[in-house]
Amino acid sequence: MKKTLIFLLTSAIISSCNTDKKEKTDESKAVAIVSKAEQKKDSANIKHFFNAALTEGKSYEWLRDLTQNIGGRLSGSPQAAKAVVWGEQLMKDVGLDSVWLQPVMVPHWVRGEKEEAYYTVNGKKKDVPVCALGFSIATPGTGIKAEVIEVKSLKEAEELGDRLKGKIVFFNGAFDETLINTFQAYGGCVGQRFSGARICGQFGAKGVIVRSMTNGINDYPHTGTMSYGETPKDQYIPAAAISSRAAENLSADLKKNPSLQFYFKQSCETLPDAPSHNVVGEIKGSENPEKIIVVGGHLDSWDLGEGAHDDGTGVVQSLEVAYLLKKNNIKPKNTIRIVFFMNEENGTRGAKEYARLAKLNKEIHVAGLESDAGGHTPRGFSIDANAENTALVQSWKTLLAPYGLHDLIKGGSGADISPLKDDHVTLAGYRPDSQRYFDYHHTSTDTFDKVNKRELELGSASMTSLVYLMDKYLYTDEKVKP
Amino acid sequence: MKKTLIFLLTSAIISSCNTDKKEKTDESKAVAIVSKAEQKKDSANIKHFFNAALTEGKSYEWLRDLTQNIGGRLSGSPQAAKAVVWGEQLMKDVGLDSVWLQPVMVPHWVRGEKEEAYYTVNGKKKDVPVCALGFSIATPGTGIKAEVIEVKSLKEAEELGDRLKGKIVFFNGAFDETLINTFQAYGGCVGQRFSGARICGQFGAKGVIVRSMTNGINDYPHTGTMSYGETPKDQYIPAAAISSRAAENLSADLKKNPSLQFYFKQSCETLPDAPSHNVVGEIKGSENPEKIIVVGGHLDSWDLGEGAHDDGTGVVQSLEVAYLLKKNNIKPKNTIRIVFFMNEENGTRGAKEYARLAKLNKEIHVAGLESDAGGHTPRGFSIDANAENTALVQSWKTLLAPYGLHDLIKGGSGADISPLKDDHVTLAGYRPDSQRYFDYHHTSTDTFDKVNKRELELGSASMTSLVYLMDKYLYTDEKVKP
């Protein structure tokens, strides 16, 4: 269970490419090895990737199909199963050299009936936009009703201890709006959502409601995963998210009416694990077919919206990397493997299985790239690699900056490829602009219409450019060990 | 009339901060003069501007008020007059040291009844989303109907010459989607809209329809200004824009049915010039009150939408510069003057009057900053200054880059401040991300909901940071001449 916590926090933190800090780059060494002629060729190829993405790209129509014809794809759901079939067929249509499914058992949590929440203040009933958190248990059929204790952090809740007994604990820690990269603000808050119920259940609280993980004030509850950790089952309490506006209102009403009673009802349930798949396809390397560069996003999503920015965009951009390489007649030296990972949202079982099989089969991964930070306009990549390869990637800045890719910063990659981490593997995360991401993240508003066609396509071409350069230049020959 | 053409083309081109080209910066000299302690102080002040904008900013609510309570504000309209009153009051509310109105006569074109367009192909009537172009004449009350000649450029139309006689000329030149900066694509097409009717009228064409100035395919006609130039009035022909999707469809239908007849009707009209105003307010400089840094956007907009991204965002961001300086107790050395310019869209009369009065009154402008490229996430500034001051502004990159302001590129500033251009005046244009801008530009979809609060506020803080640095460091003392 601790693993789940680590997974989540890693997932949050690795997403936080810190644009506030400046990074120093030692470009001299890396750049020195590339001739002017090769640089010119690279520059031309990158321009071709962008031209092709912007005029002949397929990602936008693929995304329309995935989000509007299949929709939200929570692990274990019929939609997730449909998405696997969709993904396999699409990889074949693009003409990858081989395409296969990797079986994996995934958690199967279902939301059940639409949740309900309200409280009454000065004789007036106030309905509250609410949704259960992933893995939460249900309330009794009649719901739960109790007085509310408001806290701003896990620490504050822990300090209250036994005073939480019989109460609904209201976690109202808000995003730090001064952080330019919104993933950092998310990282600073998400512990409330993930661990709030685990901590408060130990002290006999009746339930937990959490302010949605979002910037500013909006009217949609934002779901997401939580965990009861190692606590015994009789300490499990239901956990739900309420919209940030409802949280603001509730906080104000509590100041005037500290004894108001909050009610919520949910009927969610964790079923036995369900069979599912990662979808995998590859272009065989022309020189080192045994060496793999993996490129992916996650196929599952939360159930409330259409899983557009999280992470339909990452899925279609990953496949478009292969499409754009083929379209531009690039024959990669190494094998380029595209993976649509299953179950990033609540378990990363697909990622773990992929890494387990890679190890078992002694596969040589030289690099990985993940897109799981939305489909907005390109800003850069975060790099999780040794010093030498980090400097090498940063030396490509002059090639990438004309496309808005200025941030080449040491940081995490993504939850699905990070299990492949090793000193000789160069991992990277695609980092688009983050300002709008948490407006939609895990809500009913994460829909196709929030994705801009050009921004999506620029992302595909950005990723293709990085993969092209990694394939061509990464220091792997002597150093990669199976 | 030639002036109008130049204004428009300048307006298009100066907006095109070229992110495709790399710029070399000589930072050594400029940076050398600033001590570490001062750099640290500057860095802290800039952080304060961003913190304040993101937590106590007013621009979003100001924009809501302007766009939703007043709406579209075409020059000469009652809404434009309302916006002047609104702007004057708001500047007073912010506590500027002085606020006044600058009277100016503006063109007064009115759209009249909703336009109508259709054609019939294979017995099926196809309605076409259409809108008149600004300054166009009306069609006769019964509309006009004629065969269509499709061209892709002004040159192509000119070459057809007398063959245009009696026809409706269909300008179908599309944006070059491979240009990363969409303002460049706009610059490459907008001549069709501006001069199409002038050229075709000379050859006896009956009317002109123009593919909307937009990226990709959408369903809204995009209006904008046009001109008949010096052609005699009897050669004036009506000009309208049709949506890009309608343009695609019409082009396909013409291939199969070259003799199909297109119909459109519009009742627009140019009335006598109307009285209006620039709205001006300033914070008096503490050391050099006679030296002025002007910061502005334009208060007028097209009539179809709410004038949100064009240019409500520029208006509220400009005022927020003053608000954020005051909020952070910065006492500028020079006078910071905020201007809401009138009539940028069809005449730039406000800009010309502002510049005329500045010259007449021997005002000393040391710098100017304009925001008229939308309210999306920050990317940088374009700089229109002498070599020394350009290098100086570029030397601030390390201070600005943490906020996504990487592009500090030599280029134009903005249509409203460019009449102040002089070798010793440092002009700059705020350059947010351009990918989505032409989705909304000059359409009914340019509405408040398309603006993201954080992106808007980051823009205000970006502009404040540049103004702060210009106020503190610009080389002006010996060089500025009245």
Side-chain angles (χ1 to χ4, degrees), chain B residues 313-333:
Chain B
T313 53
V315 163
V316 298
Q317 286 174 327
S318 296
L319 184 56
E320 194 143 272
V321 169
Y323 169 79
L324 291 174
L325 290 173
K326 286 173 70 75
K327 191 98 198 159
N328 288 282
N329 296 314
I330 302 292
K331 309 261 179 252
K333 292 192 299 183

Side-chain angles (χ1 to χ4, degrees), chain B residues 328-398:
Chain B
N328 288 282
N329 296 314
I330 302 292
K331 309 261 179 252
K333 292 192 299 183
N334 306 289
T335 289
I336 309 298
R337 183 182 287 173
I338 313 301
V339 184
F340 299 166
F341 291 95
M342 182 51 67
N343 185 231
E344 189 276 344
E345 292 294 1
N346 54 344
T348 50
R349 294 276 186 88
K352 287 168 193 154
E353 180 62 7
Y354 181 85
R356 188 187 72 81
L357 288 174
K359 199 171 174 187
L360 187 74
N361 299 327
K362 297 191 166 52
E363 288 181 347
I364 307 172
H365 279 77
V366 295
L369 171 60
E370 181 161 342
S371 170
D372 184 20
H376 293 103
T377 199
R379 286 292 194 176
F381 298 98
S382 62
I383 313 155
D384 190 5
N386 64 31
E388 202 174 356
N389 279 330
T390 300
L392 178 65
V393 173
Q394 290 174 330
S395 76
W396 301 329
K397 187 162 179 173
T398 49

Side-chain angles (χ1 to χ4, degrees), chain B residues 5 24 43 47 87 89 171 175 242 293 363 381 414 475:
Chain B
L5 173 61
K24 281 217 169 180
S43 175
K47 180 73 183 137
Q89 185 58 51
F171 285 91
F175 271 29
I242 65 173
I293 297 176
E363 288 181 347
F381 298 98
Y475 303 130

